[in-house]
Amino acid sequence: MMTKKKNLFLMPLDTLQLESLAESLAIKVKHYLITMMGKTIDEANSDELYRALSHALREEVMINWTATNKTLIERKKKTIYYISMEYMPGKFLLNNIVNMSTRELVFITMQKLGHSFNDIASREFDPALGNGGLGRLASCFLDSLATMHYPAVGYGLRYQYGIFEQQIWDGRQIEAPDLWLMNENPWEFRQDLRRLSVKFCGKAIPSKNIHGDEIYSLENYEEVWTLPYDVPIVGYSHQTDYSVVTLRLWSTKESPRNFQLQRYNAGKLDQAAENTLLTDVLYPSDWHDAGKRIRLKQEFLLVSASVQDIIRRYLDQHDNFRSFADKVRIQINDTHPALTVAELMHSLTKIYDLPWKTAWEITQQVVSYTNHTVLSEALEQWDRHLMEYLLPRQTRIIERINQDFCDGVRQRYPNDEEPVRRMSVINNDKVRMANLSIVGSHAVNGVSAIHTEILKKSVFRDFYNYWPNKFINVTNGVTQRRWLYLCNGDLAHWITKRIGDGWITHFEEIDKLRDFAKDPESKAELQEVKRKNKQKLIDFVRHTVKIKDAHGQILAPPPVLDVNSIFDVQIKRFHEYKRQLMNALHVLMLYFEIKEGKGEHRVPRTVIFAGKAAASYETAKNIIHLIYLIARKVNRDPKVSPLLKVVFIENYNVSKAEIIIPAADLSEQISTAGMEASGTGNMKFGMNGALTIGTDDGANVEMREAVGDEHWPFLFGLTADEVAALRSSGKYHPQDELAAEPLMRRAVEALRDGTLTENDHEKSALLSLYRQLVEGSIESPGDRYFVIKDLLPYYNTQKKVDLLYSDQDAWAETVIYNIAGMSRFSTDISIKNYADKIWGIEPCPPDPAILEAVRQEYREYDRCRIY
């Protein structure tokens, strides 16, 4: 006997139909429990139910994924291939449910099964594929590409242990493996038939192709096999016509041939396993040669496998490369995939026998580069000898690219070698990856208006003068679907009640909220939404944050937080230029004020930090240690703690951000002006109803312009131009600033006078910070990031925060204007700009006939057999 499966995701017309569909979905969940886990519904635990529900929903995703791919193949559309070292997608289950518009259906289904959906959803781990804004932006882009039906494929690496799981033991950051893959991941598909070979080391043997161009074969090389895992990225739709974009992640972990048994048997255990662990950890420490070697291998693995796959996809539909530049676009996200330029040239000239000139024209037409930093130390440079050892053929190609480019520069600037030296891809035996990316691309974009101007006027000024039309700006955004509609349901309801739900896919409509800024009812309801979100965060902190000793044993619970206090939040990757140190010093200033009985005017404040420091970044780790010591001091003090509390939430990730951001009153965006490329956390906070205290840096500038100066009350600090002028003058001395301000001086002196410390390790960590801040060194002047210079303006601006927060009606009005002002900061808008200005691609939704044919075939062959 066989029964036909209902289409679970036809839009329900009434409650009875919804109940019927929920019953069908419940049957499918029970089916997977029995067939995959050998459990009945009354035996299954939450982990098993999570997997069964995911598999049931995955069937529906597969229909649209298949139809999306078949449509793209049939129509041979130009496709964007997005290559990024990082992604931070967050948990997939709820995001896919939201984007499929099935949240109510799933909740009813779980009620029928007698289980809590929230409990089941909590069993999913955050995919550990990134660390900060770079990865989160890439994931937002994929969401928008899928929602807007653009033809796209993402490429990345499947890190076995992520960057690390952060634990705080007695104030020190401890790095442990992130075990996100310990259980089955039902949202990935292993593609054994698409595994590829990547070659390292060996000897490059020159020869000529049929066009007389020099090409290179490789002898005595190391061969590494990489296996792809595909993840479906579901676009949002009210209907069943959503697109699904493929995120392909490469892994070396599952290929036994990567393990070198002969070296293992010879006792060379590290060498034996090196090629199996290339995708173990994101950004391994590069303080040693092995770390540098693995990092470069990782980057080339990503590039080589992805380029091979891109060419394979193209040749599946074409017989030659005449249309390659018309059908393919490759976006390299920062410099990690810069070797795309060299590897594409190698493939076209060596494997496919194209003339060098033709291959170079194709490469430049196809590749575009997004820059994400102005920090010189973050602009990747690789030792030429290391690159030559690991990638002999690609090094030769880079040398030729550089020679041809430098010859062109010399023609433009005869008798002047300085521009050649500054722009050369290779200089002082370093391969400059940003320069390679620019030379090999047809477009270079910054990610905020101020960032792009800094690139043109300073960082890449020579390149801009040489190729002015190559540089454009595409300001970053975030997807409102995850960062508002999913994570802040109460606020989403508040918005939809007033302007409808069009904002979910057309975020520019959020600007209509300005009309409600002075409405008393709207302000009162908004305040209640914020209070509920703050209480959720309080509950989360109470249940998850633990104070641990030096051995990882729990010492104490977190402090009890006051829902009426200002929730002052700084959550981001730890770096000196992001100035978590300035925030910490401000807390110390407040502590001393309150301690001396001068804090009566202060509104109660809860200062919340979260973020990871790179494993080898000692200064950033010392700042985390300082925050821990300040929290210990403040939270234990009976006089201070009623007015001030400090919390550090360890192991920050997307899921924790989804709880923290909706609860924030104040968003700390206080980077040294001119150093933050854009920021996206600022946008997430803004659209979730937090006001920004910040410098005029990154996207803060455009956010301020969009909101209006009148409703952007907490701007402070040096401008980017003032920072540049002060730095170049050589006249800045932090000691002079401290001498003039006793309270500020006292806070800084607490780093070395024993106020906060109880042992030698703590003293050493804080003294190191003091010396970098005040004394400096020959190589690096004191207060390199102008923390002390901006600290007093920051302190005074925080007084304005207290004043406005004391008037809750005025605060709520300002919040509404700020939410409305976020209308231009959706990645839907960013992706439209990329598509129009750089990629030249058009939407291609699943063909309705193809979608129905796939769905019909699925219905026909999907049967429940009862014997």
Side-chain angles (χ1 to χ4, degrees):
M1 175 182 173
M2 298 182 181
T3 58
K4 268 196 176 183
K5 174 184 177 290
K6 297 178 182 178
N7 177 6
L8 299 180
F9 296 95
L10 286 173
M11 298 304 293
L13 300 176
D14 53 40
T15 303
L16 287 177
Q17 186 181 17
L18 189 62
E19 287 286 331
S20 175
L21 293 176
E23 186 64 39
S24 297
L25 181 56
I27 290 170
K28 180 58 75 173
V29 171
K30 294 175 183 178
H31 165 80
Y32 275 114
L33 284 173
I34 292 172
T35 59
M36 294 192 67
M37 283 151 264
K39 297 289 183 70
T40 59
I41 186 64
D42 56 318
E43 298 173 306
N45 61 30
S46 296
D47 287 303
E48 291 159 342
L49 277 163
Y50 158 69
R51 290 160 58 199
L53 176 62
S54 297
H55 279 285
L57 295 171
R58 198 176 80 168
E59 288 189 5
E60 301 296 328
V61 171
M62 289 299 299
I63 294 170
N64 286 58
W65 200 1
T66 302
T68 300
N69 291 334
K70 287 176 72 68
T71 300
L72 296 180
I73 291 170
E74 183 177 285
R75 297 188 178 176
K76 297 183 179 181
K77 301 291 286 187
K78 181 191 291 185
T79 301
I80 176 63
Y81 298 97
Y82 195 85
I83 306 180
S84 178
M85 204 73 179
E86 290 188 44
Y87 293 90
M88 287 189 73
K91 295 180 179 181
F92 289 112
L93 175 60
L94 182 55
N95 191 72
N96 289 346
I97 289 170
V98 166
N99 280 6
M100 295 161 70
S101 296
T102 57
R103 180 150 41 178
E104 187 178 4
L105 169 62
V106 172
F107 277 45
I108 293 173
T109 300
M110 299 321 297
Q111 287 177 351
K112 286 181 174 292
L113 293 172
H115 288 269
S116 161
F117 173 78
N118 289 336
D119 180 57
I120 290 166
S122 71
R123 309 314 297 171
E124 183 176 6
F125 288 88
D126 274 58
L129 302 171
N131 180 41
L134 185 75
R136 189 52 239 168
L137 177 73
S139 293
C140 285
F141 277 1
L142 293 187
D143 176 273
S144 290
L145 284 164
T147 297
M148 300 170 76
H149 303 292
Y150 282 112
V153 178
Y155 290 103
L157 296 180
R158 181 180 181 264
Y159 302 106
Q160 189 76 15
Y161 304 115
I163 187 166
F164 55 81
E165 177 189 315
Q166 180 195 54
Q167 300 175 14
I168 304 298
W169 293 7
D170 198 29
R172 288 174 289 182
Q173 175 179 283
I174 304 297
E175 298 95 23
D178 190 323
L179 303 179
W180 73 286
L181 287 173
M182 283 295 288
N183 297 324
E184 175 203 8
N185 177 9
W187 297 105
E188 66 178 10
F189 295 78
R190 175 171 164 155
Q191 305 286 3
D192 289 78
L193 296 180
R194 294 301 182 192
R195 72 172 187 163
L196 293 170
S197 167
V198 177
K199 297 178 176 65
F200 295 99
C201 302
K203 181 179 180 182
I205 307 299
S207 61
K208 301 284 186 179
N209 65 11
I210 61 173
H211 309 285
D213 297 312
E214 193 166 74
I215 56 175
Y216 300 93
S217 301
L218 202 59
E219 292 183 352
N220 302 318
Y221 51 81
E222 286 184 16
E223 187 173 34
V224 176
W225 288 92
T226 182
L227 186 69
Y229 287 75
D230 287 352
V231 178
I233 305 300
V234 178
Y236 177 87
S237 177
H238 280 302
Q239 306 298 325
T240 59
D241 60 349
Y242 54 87
S243 291
V244 181
V245 162
T246 300
L247 171 58
R248 175 156 285 187
L249 303 172
W250 302 103
S251 173
T252 59
K253 202 68 180 173
E254 304 296 328
S255 299
R257 290 177 61 176
N258 292 339
F259 185 72
Q260 300 180 38
L261 187 58
Q262 287 182 322
R263 291 185 178 182
Y264 180 86
N265 288 335
K268 301 176 180 178
L269 306 188
D270 55 339
Q271 295 178 28
E274 181 171 304
N275 289 334
T276 68
L277 55 76
L278 291 184
T279 55
D280 272 11
V281 176
L282 169 65
Y283 302 142
S285 175
D286 57 359
W287 275 29
H288 44 74
D289 290 341
K292 291 183 176 71
R293 186 173 66 248
I294 291 172
R295 275 206 185 193
L296 183 53
K297 277 188 165 184
Q298 280 186 336
E299 293 186 4
F300 184 67
L301 177 85
L302 169 62
V303 161
S304 179
S306 301
V307 167
Q308 290 180 64
D309 197 62
I310 291 166
I311 292 174
R312 191 267 309 165
R313 290 173 185 268
Y314 171 82
L315 291 177
D316 282 348
Q317 302 177 51
H318 302 84
D319 297 327
N320 55 55
F321 282 87
R322 293 192 187 100
S323 300
F324 191 81
D326 296 324
K327 298 296 183 181
V328 172
R329 286 294 178 267
I330 301 174
Q331 187 73 32
I332 54 178
N333 191 30
D334 218 350
T335 55
H336 309 117
L339 286 165
T340 297
V341 174
E343 181 65 357
L344 186 55
M345 285 297 295
H346 159 70
S347 298
L348 295 177
T349 57
K350 170 65 171 64
I351 302 174
Y352 299 103
D353 230 358
L354 268 65
W356 175 275
K357 185 175 182 294
T358 302
W360 184 239
E361 290 172 352
I362 289 173
T363 298
Q364 285 190 307
Q365 290 177 59
V366 162
V367 176
S368 49
Y369 159 54
T370 300
N371 173 274
H372 286 277
T373 184
V374 300
L375 299 177
S376 58
E377 63 267 30
L379 294 171
E380 280 192 307
Q381 299 186 64
W382 285 107
D383 180 80
R384 181 179 187 168
H385 303 294
L386 175 62
M387 184 172 286
E388 191 167 22
Y389 167 69
L390 290 176
L391 308 170
R393 292 187 294 186
Q394 288 71 25
T395 304
R396 303 287 190 282
I397 289 169
I398 291 171
E399 289 170 349
R400 175 165 179 188
I401 290 170
N402 190 50
Q403 185 62 56
D404 291 349
F405 170 66
C406 289
D407 288 346
V409 176
R410 289 186 178 99
Q411 290 180 9
R412 176 79 69 88
Y413 306 110
N415 304 317
D416 187 357
E417 280 295 300
E418 276 304 297
V420 178
R421 181 189 62 79
R422 292 193 298 266
M423 298 167 73
S424 176
V425 175
I426 303 171
N427 186 56
N428 293 328
D429 276 334
K430 296 288 185 182
V431 182
R432 302 191 280 197
M433 307 308 279
N435 292 23
L436 176 62
S437 301
I438 296 169
V439 171
S441 299
H442 73 276
V444 178
N445 74 280
V447 291
S448 71
I450 185 174
H451 172 230
T452 302
E453 288 305 305
I454 291 171
L455 294 183
K456 293 192 291 188
K457 294 177 181 178
S458 176
V459 180
F460 300 136
R461 181 180 59 190
D462 292 300
F463 285 106
Y464 176 66
N465 291 336
Y466 193 75
W467 283 312
N469 295 328
K470 186 176 282 197
F471 287 79
I472 63 173
N473 176 62
V474 180
T475 298
N476 283 344
V478 300
T479 169
Q480 68 273 19
R481 287 167 289 279
R482 178 178 282 274
W483 291 109
L484 179 48
Y485 186 54
L486 182 154
C487 77
N488 199 343
D490 289 327
L491 181 58
H493 176 76
W494 180 89
I495 294 169
T496 300
K497 179 180 175 181
R498 284 156 179 81
I499 65 171
D501 64 0
W503 61 271
I504 299 172
T505 52
H506 297 86
F507 200 57
E508 61 274 13
E509 293 187 14
I510 208 82
D511 189 67
K512 297 176 184 177
L513 288 175
R514 293 179 187 274
D515 295 340
F516 299 89
K518 296 184 182 299
D519 175 47
E521 181 182 346
S522 294
K523 288 187 281 189
E525 289 183 19
L526 181 65
Q527 289 169 324
E528 183 56 30
V529 167
K530 180 62 71 174
R531 186 179 183 85
K532 287 174 65 177
N533 287 328
K534 291 169 76 171
Q535 189 58 54
K536 289 177 186 176
L537 178 56
I538 290 171
D539 295 341
F540 174 81
V541 168
R542 184 172 67 251
H543 288 110
T544 61
V545 175
K546 309 296 180 187
I547 313 302
K548 301 170 190 171
D549 65 15
H551 305 288
Q553 301 301 308
I554 296 174
L555 284 176
V560 177
L561 305 185
D562 177 6
V563 73
N564 296 310
S565 65
I566 299 172
F567 276 28
D568 178 353
V569 180
Q570 188 173 20
I571 50 173
K572 54 183 73 234
R573 175 174 57 90
F574 270 74
H575 195 289
E576 290 164 90
Y577 86 84
K578 294 178 183 289
R579 300 203 292 192
Q580 287 96 341
L581 178 56
M582 185 166 69
N583 191 350
L585 290 172
H586 172 252
V587 174
L588 277 174
M589 294 170 74
L590 295 182
Y591 169 78
F592 289 125
E593 262 195 335
I594 298 168
K595 194 71 174 169
E596 293 175 357
K598 300 176 182 177
E600 298 83 5
H601 62 288
R602 291 290 185 183
V603 174
R605 183 180 294 247
T606 299
V607 185
I608 299 168
F609 294 90
K612 296 178 180 180
S616 57
Y617 193 174
E618 285 302 318
T619 299
K621 293 169 86 168
N622 286 340
I623 294 171
I624 291 175
H625 203 164
L626 169 63
I627 291 167
Y628 171 86
L629 298 178
I630 293 173
R632 184 176 69 188
K633 192 75 172 178
V634 168
N635 297 339
R636 288 179 180 177
D637 193 305
K639 183 175 182 179
V640 175
S641 60
L643 288 174
L644 181 64
K645 290 189 174 69
V646 180
V647 176
F648 188 97
I649 298 175
E650 67 182 20
N651 202 40
Y652 176 60
N653 57 23
V654 171
S655 293
K656 290 179 180 176
E658 290 170 352
I659 299 171
I660 299 168
I661 290 172
D665 293 306
L666 187 67
S667 165
E668 297 274 353
Q669 308 299 331
I670 57 177
S671 54
T672 309
M675 292 192 171
E676 184 72 81
S678 169
T680 52
N682 44 8
M683 303 167 188
K684 295 166 195 165
F685 279 109
M687 64 177 59
N688 277 277
L691 299 186
T692 301
I693 182 168
T695 52
D696 233 12
D697 194 25
N700 290 357
V701 178
E702 290 158 86
M703 289 170 62
R704 173 179 57 78
E705 292 169 352
V707 170
D709 288 338
E710 179 186 355
H711 307 297
W712 192 264
F714 307 137
L715 174 68
F716 78 95
L718 299 172
T719 65
D721 289 342
E722 289 169 340
V723 166
L726 193 58
R727 194 185 302 281
S728 62
S729 73
K731 297 179 180 179
Y732 171 59
H733 302 290
Q735 297 92 335
D736 296 341
E737 305 289 329
L738 294 175
E741 292 295 335
L743 181 59
M744 189 165 67
R745 182 170 66 250
R746 185 173 182 186
V748 172
E749 283 298 317
L751 299 179
R752 67 170 182 173
D753 66 9
T755 298
L756 302 170
T757 57
E758 295 178 356
N759 57 55
D760 290 342
H761 182 81
E762 293 173 357
K763 291 176 183 176
S764 176
L766 269 56
L767 185 58
S768 175
L769 290 177
Y770 178 87
R771 287 171 175 165
Q772 289 176 288
L773 193 60
V774 179
E775 299 171 0
S777 64
I778 296 175
E779 297 81 15
S780 178
D783 196 18
R784 179 184 175 192
Y785 296 98
F786 301 101
V787 169
I788 293 173
K789 184 67 177 177
D790 274 348
L791 182 53
L792 188 61
Y794 177 59
Y795 168 83
N796 289 328
T797 305
Q798 289 282 15
K799 290 182 178 179
K800 296 180 182 179
V801 172
D802 284 353
L803 186 63
L804 185 59
Y805 193 80
S806 298
D807 183 348
Q808 280 291 288
D809 188 72
W811 182 278
E813 180 177 323
T814 308
V815 165
I816 294 174
Y817 280 119
N818 273 257
I819 296 173
M822 296 301 103
S823 61
R824 70 174 74 164
F825 300 106
S826 166
T827 43
D828 294 351
I829 296 172
S830 303
I831 287 299
K832 182 71 164 56
N833 286 330
Y834 275 101
D836 293 346
K837 296 180 181 180
I838 298 178
W839 302 332
I841 61 174
E842 298 176 345
C844 183
D847 184 288
I850 292 175
L851 180 58
E852 180 54 35
V854 174
R855 189 175 294 283
Q856 182 58 41
E857 185 171 340
Y858 166 73
R859 288 195 196 106
E860 186 175 344
Y861 290 102
D862 182 60
R863 298 287 190 269
C864 294
R865 291 176 173 79
I866 302 174
Y867 295 95

